[in-house]
Amino acid sequence: MKTKRIMLYGTFLFLAALILYPQQEVVMSLKDGMPAIPLAMPEFIIHSSTPEAKSIARQLHQIISEDFKYSRVFQLLPKSHYSWIRPLNPKKIFFKDWESIQANVLFVGEIPESEDDNILFEGKIYDVKSGHFIFGKRYQGEKNLLRLVAHKMADEVMKIYGEKPLFTSKIVFVSNRDGNDELYTMDYDGQNQTRLTFNRIKDYMPAWSPDGRKIAYTSYRKNSAGLYILFPYDQRRDEVISKGTNYAPSWSPDGKKLAFCSTQDESNPEIYVATSYGKNIRRLTINDAIDTAPSWSPTSREIAFTSDRGGTPQIYVMDAEGSNVRRKSFGGSYFDAPAWSPTGDMIAYVSRVDQIFDIYILNLRTNQTHKLTESNARNESPCWAPDGRHLIFSSNISGSIQLYTIDYDGANLRCLTTKGTNKLPDWSN
Amino acid sequence: MKKIIILSLSIFLIFAYFISCKPKQAPEFTPPPAPAPQEQTPVVKEQPKIEKVEKVEEAEKKLIDIQFAEPELSEEEIFLNKSLEEINQESPIQMIHFDFDKFFIREDAKPVLEATAEWLKQYSTVKILLEGYCDERGTEEYNLALGEKRAKSTFDYLVSLGIAPNRMITVSYGKSQPLDQGHNEIAWQKNRRTQFTIIGK
């Protein structure tokens, strides 16, 4: 009798759990998207006994681990799990072992013996369930390119899993660390901060072209704020326009057009569009209000922008030809700096409430917004990473203005800069 | 046989002519380098003369300047003798300030702009740059637009006071160059401004 009752209670609880559980799961999956793939990456195998090879192996392992952790696509298995199974033998892999510690993907890294001073690195990816070799790549490079070798390897793995490469992308930004606002670049993780422009004038608001070969930016020359295109690999600079104040450049993702804000006619800030080489400048907005901060949709068919045509700055979307304008932001009195996500379904923007700027994300499918940053500070200039899972923005939360990255769900806040003030970031493809 | 002799003779003659020509040509070409230095030397000799002439001219200029400096210069002439940097250091045109998030000309700015217009009429050749600035409580993009609006409303007001539009250029710096680095209402009020730079006289 008792057991029956227990069983009855048990089934009831089970049913209740069944009813409740799926709802929770739906919420989770909406928020987090695809669950991360469990990946095992044991220590890399070294084919020479020099201490240098050991150090290279350790560094490569660490950088690639950091990349995978950052990706949100892979989830690295804890190191302690590896001690429960037989050590990895690259000639004969016991996939059942790796399956037993719940790895889906196995990354095998090897450092072959190098005859010269260069780094040699070999990475292979296996599907654990089937035991199939998926992909392998061998890199050779000078020692100072160790980070690049690691990032390239991690990016290749991302590509295999249908993701956009992220770790070799570059961030361009404005810093006054050397006394004057100049352009700088850095890696996604804040490494390799490099100065790009050398002059005594103010360089401002840079934006990468989709192919990463050009940077459009504002430079205060000739008593105006002109728009220029910098070719960082060719040591060349082209002028787009030097009349009036020209800023907030944004390249269309198909690489064909360059939108920007300009006051060239009647000193009123309006949105203009030019070819990718800055020719054939055409005006898109015509009114007495401020229109600024254009950001292209990933299809290159629409442009999000800021306008105060309704009295306060709000986010609008228009077709690439300037027609069909509709308002996208509601419930606030100050919105700016829209950034259309590369996935196309989200627009990040800044909202000002009581002198505090926070970044919000508008989901275009559901028209719901969620607050990304929560701090008593000014968080602004959001820009998406090419994979659409991370954003970079500037914040004065630590006192001075610095650059931070954050995941799309508000996790994993990181500070990337410390010297001087650093602002106006743009993430390359 | 005769033909062959004539041919060989003619060939010999042609060769002989060429051979005789070549040594002739060589001396013909060699002389030019010789006269060249001869030509160069007089140039070198002339150069100091030119320098002397210049010096004399400069000295004369200075003399003239001193002679003309004795009589009193008008305010305009004193002004025109200064460099642009000197003029801008004295900042002859007072900046004007704006309300938070606004770009209309405030009542307290109007007399300042009227004085500016008078000054611009007095120095009728001066060209000015109108620089619009904002405080830190706006976003980068919108502030650059707002700064331009502030410069433009100043521009329009000066035009309404009779200043020719082609004497003025507007530019915006947004919030990138605050006068006061503070984070309080006094600093913010200072930073919301249109500032004037003289760019031509």
Side-chain angles (χ1 to χ4, degrees):
Chain A
M1 196 60 191
K2 240 184 189 175
T3 48
K4 252 189 187 174
R5 194 172 282 174
I6 286 165
M7 268 178 72
L8 228 140
Y9 273 121
T11 45
F12 175 74
L13 277 174
F14 180 70
L15 278 173
L18 262 185
I19 293 159
L20 287 172
Y21 185 68
Q23 280 177 335
Q24 268 182 342
E25 199 178 44
V26 167
V27 171
M28 288 290 286
S29 62
L30 269 180
K31 204 179 160 202
D32 295 342
M34 293 252 293
I37 303 162
L39 181 137
M41 189 164 71
E43 291 295 324
F44 297 158
I45 294 147
I46 310 158
H47 294 289
S48 72
S49 54
T50 58
E52 213 182 352
K54 245 183 201 172
S55 127
I56 286 168
R58 202 177 51 244
Q59 286 178 63
L60 286 170
H61 190 275
Q62 196 197 341
I63 297 163
I64 296 174
S65 301
E66 289 294 325
D67 288 354
F68 285 152
K69 270 186 222 161
Y70 189 76
S71 71
R72 300 291 298 264
V73 175
F74 298 104
Q75 175 202 334
L76 273 182
L77 289 182
K79 271 184 184 169
S80 56
H81 287 195
Y82 305 145
S83 59
W84 300 339
I85 57 169
R86 282 170 282 187
L88 176 74
N89 175 3
K91 297 232 168 57
K92 192 172 190 302
I93 300 168
F94 299 102
F95 287 103
K96 284 276 176 251
D97 285 6
W98 296 96
E99 206 179 338
S100 73
I101 59 167
Q102 285 166 352
N104 278 16
V105 181
L106 174 64
F107 184 103
V108 178
E110 290 181 65
I111 316 283
E113 200 157 5
S114 175
E115 281 164 11
D116 45 22
D117 257 6
N118 286 345
I119 297 169
L120 270 181
F121 177 56
E122 210 176 273
K124 286 182 195 137
I125 286 277
Y126 295 92
D127 180 61
V128 171
K129 283 226 167 73
S130 64
H132 283 157
F133 167 77
I134 301 172
F135 153 87
K137 194 128 190 174
R138 188 176 187 148
Y139 286 99
Q140 186 179 10
E142 286 170 34
K143 280 210 178 92
N144 55 348
L145 298 176
L146 185 133
R147 296 195 72 86
L148 186 63
V149 165
H151 290 322
K152 273 187 178 284
M153 187 71 237
D155 267 347
E156 287 301 323
V157 177
M158 292 283 279
K159 279 191 219 163
I160 292 296
Y161 282 84
E163 300 293 334
K164 272 200 183 167
L166 174 70
F167 310 115
T168 49
S169 62
K170 287 268 182 187
I171 292 155
V172 63
F173 60 101
V174 175
S175 177
N176 70 350
R177 62 186 68 180
D178 295 317
N180 179 31
D181 281 342
E182 301 278 347
L183 304 188
Y184 289 74
T185 59
M186 63 179 172
D187 293 352
Y188 90 94
D189 51 5
Q191 297 285 330
N192 286 327
Q193 302 198 6
T194 315
R195 187 167 166 184
L196 214 57
T197 56
F198 295 82
N199 53 49
R200 294 203 171 172
I201 50 175
K202 182 187 284 295
D203 293 323
Y204 226 57
M205 284 198 187
W208 287 106
S209 67
D211 63 0
R213 306 291 301 177
K214 294 180 273 186
I215 297 170
Y217 71 109
T218 300
S219 192
Y220 284 81
R221 294 162 192 269
K222 299 182 200 165
N223 296 321
S224 71
L227 192 73
Y228 298 85
I229 296 175
L230 183 73
F231 297 77
Y233 304 105
D234 308 334
Q235 309 288 318
R236 193 176 116 213
R237 192 189 69 227
D238 286 359
E239 180 186 302
V240 177
I241 183 162
S242 63
K243 189 187 170 209
T245 308
N246 305 276
Y247 59 97
S250 172
W251 303 84
S252 66
D254 62 10
K256 288 179 184 159
K257 286 175 186 168
L258 176 65
F260 60 100
C261 181
S262 172
T263 62
Q264 54 188 287
D265 304 319
E266 301 137 34
S267 289
N268 195 45
E270 303 281 358
I271 291 166
Y272 292 75
V273 70
T275 64
S276 63
Y277 282 89
K279 304 284 180 270
N280 297 332
I281 298 171
R282 261 186 319 118
R283 187 167 164 180
L284 290 188
T285 57
I286 300 162
N287 56 56
D288 289 340
I290 290 171
D291 296 297
T292 183
S295 172
W296 292 86
S297 76
T299 58
S300 301
R301 283 199 210 115
E302 290 166 299
I303 299 173
F305 64 104
T306 306
S307 177
D308 66 0
R309 58 187 71 189
T312 55
Q314 301 284 343
I315 308 295
Y316 291 80
V317 168
M318 64 179 166
D319 291 353
E321 298 77 33
S323 53
N324 193 16
V325 178
R326 57 265 188 209
R327 185 169 157 180
K328 285 287 166 188
S329 61
F330 297 95
S333 63
Y334 194 108
F335 298 96
D336 192 17
W340 211 313
S341 79
T343 49
D345 55 348
M346 289 177 281
I347 295 178
Y349 55 77
V350 179
S351 173
R352 187 181 80 187
V353 180
D354 296 336
Q355 316 307 337
I356 290 165
F357 304 169
D358 269 310
I359 293 163
Y360 289 72
I361 293 178
L362 166 69
N363 187 324
L364 292 172
R365 289 207 189 105
T366 60
N367 269 330
Q368 300 272 312
T369 55
H370 78 262
K371 199 175 178 183
L372 188 68
T373 59
E374 186 82 56
S375 60
N376 192 11
R378 279 190 287 275
N379 304 308
E380 61 169 320
S381 311
C383 177
W384 292 90
D387 66 348
R389 287 193 182 83
H390 311 270
L391 294 106
I392 188 162
F393 64 98
S394 69
S395 175
N396 68 343
I397 190 168
S398 67
S400 64
I401 302 167
Q402 301 299 342
L403 297 178
Y404 294 81
T405 56
I406 194 167
D407 292 359
Y408 67 103
D409 55 1
N412 197 16
L413 180 71
R414 294 177 170 196
C415 183
L416 299 189
T417 55
T418 50
K419 277 190 226 157
T421 66
N422 300 281
K423 55 192 176 183
L424 299 163
D426 191 66
W427 208 320
S428 78
N429 256 337
Chain B
M1 197 56 194
K2 259 186 185 176
K3 268 183 187 174
I4 293 165
I5 291 165
I6 290 162
L7 245 170
S8 59
L9 260 173
S10 58
I11 288 166
F12 173 77
L13 275 171
I14 288 162
F15 267 96
Y17 175 74
F18 273 107
I19 290 159
S20 64
C21 273
K22 267 179 192 170
K24 264 184 198 169
Q25 271 179 338
E28 262 180 321
F29 277 103
T30 36
Q38 278 178 353
E39 276 177 289
Q40 273 174 354
T41 39
V43 173
V44 174
K45 274 176 195 167
E46 273 173 31
Q47 269 176 341
K49 275 182 196 168
I50 293 164
E51 275 173 38
K52 273 176 198 167
V53 170
E54 275 173 18
K55 272 176 192 168
V56 170
E57 271 176 357
E58 273 172 47
E60 275 174 8
K61 263 186 199 168
K62 274 176 199 165
L63 274 174
I64 292 161
D65 281 348
I66 293 158
Q67 278 171 0
F68 280 88
E70 299 277 326
E72 275 184 29
L73 280 176
S74 69
E75 271 184 61
E76 284 84 351
E77 279 167 326
I78 293 170
F79 176 80
L80 288 174
N81 282 339
K82 289 178 192 165
S83 74
L84 282 179
E85 271 180 34
E86 282 171 337
I87 296 168
N88 280 320
Q89 262 177 4
E90 289 165 17
S91 52
I93 309 179
Q94 246 188 304
M95 66 179 79
I96 58 163
H97 296 281
F98 293 86
D99 281 343
F100 177 51
D101 272 355
K102 299 285 188 291
F103 56 82
F104 63 82
I105 301 295
R106 277 188 341 207
E107 284 304 318
D108 66 333
K110 284 177 182 171
V112 178
L113 288 180
E114 276 153 25
T116 303
E118 283 306 310
W119 188 88
L120 284 170
K121 280 173 189 165
Q122 188 186 351
Y123 301 104
S124 56
T125 53
V126 165
K127 287 191 171 162
I128 56 170
L129 179 67
L130 283 62
E131 301 161 5
Y133 295 87
C134 304
D135 70 23
E136 60 181 357
R137 292 177 300 167
T139 46
E140 291 281 356
E141 287 82 358
Y142 190 74
N143 262 1
L144 270 170
L146 186 62
E148 184 73 27
K149 282 277 195 187
R150 283 176 178 162
K152 178 67 162 75
S153 62
T154 314
F155 179 98
D156 288 345
Y157 198 80
L158 286 173
V159 169
S160 78
L161 293 173
I163 306 302
N166 60 8
R167 294 177 62 192
M168 298 181 283
I169 303 174
T170 58
V171 74
S172 171
Y173 281 87
K175 60 174 170 178
S176 66
Q177 280 182 356
L179 273 185
D180 189 325
Q181 301 287 342
H183 306 289
N184 50 52
E185 186 45 61
I186 297 163
W188 294 327
Q189 174 59 85
K190 267 190 196 167
N191 295 336
R192 296 190 299 266
R193 67 201 193 272
T194 298
Q195 210 171 301
F196 303 85
T197 305
I198 288 144
I199 52 170
K201 53 176 188 180

